[in-house]
Amino acid sequence: MYNTSYQKSDFAATEINGNTRNHSINFPNVRTHVLQGEAHDEKSFYSMNGLSGHAGLFSNLNDMMILTQIMLNKGQYGNLTFWSQKVQDLFLTPYPYDVTFGLGWRLNRNKSLPWFGLYTSDQAFGHEGWTGTCTVIDPKYSIAIILLTNKRHSLYINGTFD
């Protein structure tokens, strides 16, 4: 069960006109209201009732900072252990058919993903969200970068978000 005590005002809105892309898409039960506090991803929302591991993670800067610090500390934060080194290694093991995929993270193994930037090491990993978020963690430099935006909460004009 997930926490239902939050209010919509606790969340940044992610798209103005639901999943309609400014009314250019229409299908039965399409959401037309401002998306706020619910999974934006259509697969998650329509197929999985908004609960899935790939979409709809809502957080704030403080909690994201803690998560990135846990990853930099290989599963530990303060005097708490959240997961073992073995689990951390599993998170960051490259998928054999595409070395940029780990378990829940993208990996900078071959430096092919532009959002990692020019200066991160090949040890860097992170996650980019479709609604405008990006997290990059680089253990080599002991640094984490967290970008939280709601860039999709803008008009959709000529096939792109303004």
Side-chain angles (χ1 to χ4, degrees):
M1 190 69 186
Y2 56 95
N3 187 341
T4 57
S5 65
Y6 294 107
Q7 304 297 313
K8 283 191 176 195
S9 60
D10 293 331
F11 303 94
T14 55
E15 195 166 340
I16 295 172
N17 297 305
N19 296 119
T20 69
R21 306 298 182 273
N22 204 33
H23 307 291
S24 66
I25 296 174
N26 190 18
F27 54 86
N29 299 318
V30 67
R31 293 179 289 177
T32 58
H33 59 277
V34 172
L35 299 185
Q36 188 173 7
E38 58 188 79
H40 185 279
D41 182 86
E42 291 92 344
K43 291 175 188 162
S44 172
F45 184 81
Y46 294 107
S47 301
M48 303 173 197
N49 199 28
L51 301 174
S52 64
H54 76 279
L57 172 65
F58 297 100
S59 192
N60 58 45
L61 185 59
N62 185 64
D63 290 347
M64 288 299 297
M65 181 273 311
I66 292 170
L67 175 61
T68 59
Q69 193 62 58
I70 293 169
M71 289 300 293
L72 284 169
N73 294 346
K74 300 177 181 175
Q76 302 204 358
Y77 185 73
N79 60 356
L80 299 174
T81 299
F82 290 89
W83 53 77
S84 67
Q85 177 68 51
K86 185 176 179 178
V87 170
Q88 178 93 359
D89 293 343
L90 185 61
F91 287 151
L92 303 177
T93 298
Y95 180 63
Y97 301 105
D98 185 342
V99 297
T100 69
F101 282 92
L103 188 59
W105 299 100
R106 295 301 299 267
L107 311 176
N108 195 32
R109 294 296 196 269
N110 62 8
K111 300 208 172 236
S112 65
L113 300 170
W115 55 269
F116 275 110
L118 299 174
Y119 302 108
T120 56
S121 75
D122 61 359
Q123 297 174 25
F125 56 94
H127 193 279
E128 183 183 42
W130 189 78
T131 58
T133 61
C134 184
T135 301
V136 174
I137 303 167
D138 196 335
K140 180 177 180 179
Y141 300 115
S142 191
I143 191 170
I145 300 165
I146 302 164
L147 175 67
L148 301 175
T149 77
N150 59 342
K151 73 178 180 181
R152 298 293 181 216
H153 187 64
S154 58
L155 292 178
Y156 188 80
I157 301 170
N158 296 324
T160 188
F161 287 94
D162 190 25

